[in-house]
Amino acid sequence: MAVRERLSGNEAVAYAIKQINPDVMPAFPITPSTEIPQYVANYIANGEIDTEFIPVESEHSAMSATVGASAAGARALTATSSCGLALMWEELYVAASNRLPIVLALVNRALSGPININADHSDSMGARDSGWIQIYAESNQEVYDNFLQAFLIAEHKDVMLPVMICQDGFITSHGVENILLVEDDLVKKFVGDREPEHYLLNPKETLAVGPYAVSSYYMETKRGQREAMINARKVILEVADRFQAMTGRQYGFFEAYRLEDAEYAVVIIGSAAGTCKAAIEQIRNTTGKKVGLLKIRVFRPFPEEEIAEALAHVKAVAILDRSEMFAATSGPLGAEVRAALYQAKGTAETVNYFYGLGGRDITVEDFCQIYANLEKIAEDHKITDMYEYIGLRS
């Protein structure tokens, strides 16, 4: 029987870490992820797990220590947010290029400046091309479930890439929700132990990690990372199937909500999907208009073919970004989805909006207006402003 509990998103991640009982966790505190290492440190102090906790002097050091621990053969993880992830930047690429199956709990927070501690996706989206797998959550339940699946994906022999498990700062990280926890023995059986094939502390093997790569080798390394990212697509779905068999909860690359018959669709990442779902129900119940949602769970590897197929029948699509890219016409998610639709020769009109930057609220009424915009765009095929902010003060 699943265990019913009320936990914040940070507590849920820390509880998943407790159940997994990793070998090493280096960490440095930063709002709003500070609670995660705090809870884990308490578990260690109370003798509930035997993870080696390493207090370090910065986030750069946290990822450096995590890289070293993983290269030595340990199951290693860390947690951070915002500017902490930015300080790890160099080591993010080192972890990915060295094919280390690290897991990072990222609590999404706006990057400075101006300084802001609230949720947006500028931190993770800035790192989207670093070679890490990225999985996002709408709710506390999802971030817990995603974290339980992360090591199985990262450590698969055909993948061996680091995984970033993302949730929205304060909205889910500090908000308390009802949650179903998996029993400890089932988690242990599901996740298992890390059994590295190559690692620095193996006395039977001479191994170098992170050597200098001259131009004759560097490009092949990147091609190997791309192949691993392609392989991750299959592994992510296989792990999700195993997780569903254990819990009954189903996951894939995305969630299609009321999308089967939808004429107008929103594409979004993270907690705001819940608000969008409420708007969908309100619109359908009051007007009968067919509106739907595609909530992205896996952003890297990007499931472009599956997304294009899911949106093939809609008349108009609004892609909502919670981070700026300062490109000519779109944000990170907008660029990816529009490219996918173009590649698939999709016929839907597409528009890209920006919302929630620095924690700005987005409401049911905002989503209702977005769907009204889509209906008008589908009728007259005119997009007056591709570069529009939702909820911007005039």
Side-chain angles (χ1 to χ4, degrees):
M1 291 289 292
V3 180
R4 295 184 179 273
E5 189 52 274
R6 292 181 298 277
L7 299 175
S8 70
N10 280 346
E11 288 178 300
V13 168
Y15 198 87
I17 293 171
K18 173 189 172 184
Q19 291 180 304
I20 294 167
N21 192 15
D23 299 309
V24 180
M25 183 179 184
F28 188 85
I30 182 170
T31 302
S33 67
T34 300
E35 289 180 326
I36 296 174
Q38 175 190 336
Y39 287 127
V40 173
N42 285 339
Y43 291 140
I44 295 169
N46 295 335
E48 297 178 70
I49 56 175
D50 56 10
T51 301
E52 182 73 24
F53 186 86
I54 305 177
V56 292
E57 69 272 17
S58 72
E59 290 87 357
H60 185 281
S61 300
M63 184 53 69
S64 296
T66 309
V67 164
S70 184
R75 177 174 276 171
L77 58 85
T78 188
T80 196
S81 296
S82 182
C83 304
L85 187 71
L87 191 54
M88 292 179 176
W89 223 257
E90 174 190 12
E91 297 301 317
L92 294 179
Y93 283 82
V94 171
S97 64
N98 285 336
R99 307 291 296 279
L100 298 175
I102 292 165
V103 173
L104 169 65
L106 181 70
V107 183
N108 287 112
R109 166 189 151 185
L111 278 167
S112 299
I115 190 168
N116 180 288
I117 64 168
N118 297 307
D120 73 21
H121 299 155
S122 53
D123 47 8
S124 58
M125 285 299 169
R128 66 189 179 277
D129 298 329
S130 61
W132 284 61
I133 293 168
Q134 289 192 350
I135 302 177
Y136 290 79
E138 173 191 343
S139 65
N140 304 12
Q141 183 72 64
E142 287 186 12
V143 73
Y144 169 77
D145 292 349
N146 288 344
F147 209 91
L148 292 183
Q149 298 174 59
F151 277 112
L152 281 175
I153 297 166
E155 294 171 0
H156 193 283
K157 64 181 180 61
D158 295 332
V159 179
M160 294 300 293
L161 288 174
V163 176
M164 197 178 291
I165 299 297
C166 307
Q167 65 168 319
D168 287 349
F170 292 107
I171 299 170
T172 63
S173 68
H174 287 64
V176 176
E177 293 181 354
N178 292 326
I179 187 172
L180 291 175
L181 301 172
V182 184
E183 296 90 330
D184 291 351
D185 58 334
L186 291 180
V187 170
K188 197 63 182 174
K189 182 179 179 182
F190 178 73
V191 179
D193 298 314
R194 183 184 176 192
E195 298 178 358
E197 184 178 0
H198 306 289
Y199 55 101
L200 284 173
L201 296 185
N202 183 356
K204 300 178 181 178
E205 182 179 37
T206 301
L207 179 68
V209 174
Y212 175 68
V214 297
S215 55
S216 301
Y217 292 92
Y218 184 89
M219 191 178 292
E220 284 72 20
T221 299
K222 295 302 161 187
R223 181 63 180 84
Q225 287 178 248
R226 170 172 284 279
E227 192 66 28
M229 195 66 80
I230 293 170
N231 294 342
R233 291 164 53 89
K234 178 182 178 183
V235 173
I236 288 168
L237 296 181
E238 290 174 348
V239 171
D241 286 343
R242 284 188 55 196
F243 188 82
Q244 183 181 5
M246 178 176 66
T247 66
R249 296 191 288 275
Q250 184 178 16
Y251 291 97
F253 294 136
F254 49 75
E255 177 190 356
Y257 184 83
R258 303 298 295 266
L259 195 62
E260 304 85 4
D261 63 343
E263 296 179 325
Y264 317 108
V266 163
V267 181
I268 203 166
I269 287 175
S271 60
T275 308
C276 186
K277 290 174 182 177
I280 288 170
E281 295 306 317
Q282 178 176 307
I283 292 169
R284 282 181 173 260
N285 291 336
T286 58
T287 70
K289 293 178 180 178
K290 297 176 180 179
V291 296
L293 165 70
L294 189 73
K295 182 190 76 183
I296 305 294
R297 173 179 178 248
V298 178
F299 187 73
R300 285 288 184 272
F302 191 73
E304 62 175 29
E305 295 170 358
E306 291 83 356
I307 287 173
E309 182 178 355
L311 296 173
H313 63 285
V314 302
K315 296 178 180 178
V317 181
I319 309 154
L320 270 64
D321 269 289
R322 199 163 195 162
S323 63
E324 254 290 10
M325 196 165 76
F326 303 110
T329 58
S330 67
L333 181 60
E336 301 272 1
V337 174
R338 292 172 69 203
L341 293 174
Y342 177 83
Q343 186 69 22
K345 297 180 173 56
T347 58
E349 298 283 0
T350 61
V351 63
N352 194 195
Y353 296 134
F354 296 86
Y355 79 100
L357 304 185
R360 182 70 55 89
D361 284 340
I362 185 167
T363 66
V364 168
E365 290 71 25
D366 290 328
F367 280 108
C368 290
Q369 184 59 56
I370 290 168
Y371 283 113
N373 292 350
L374 289 179
E375 185 176 12
K376 188 174 187 305
I377 290 169
E379 288 175 357
D380 59 24
H381 302 285
K382 292 181 181 179
I383 298 174
T384 56
D385 193 352
M386 178 66 77
Y387 214 91
E388 184 175 339
Y389 294 87
I390 304 300
L392 186 71
R393 291 183 294 109
S394 59

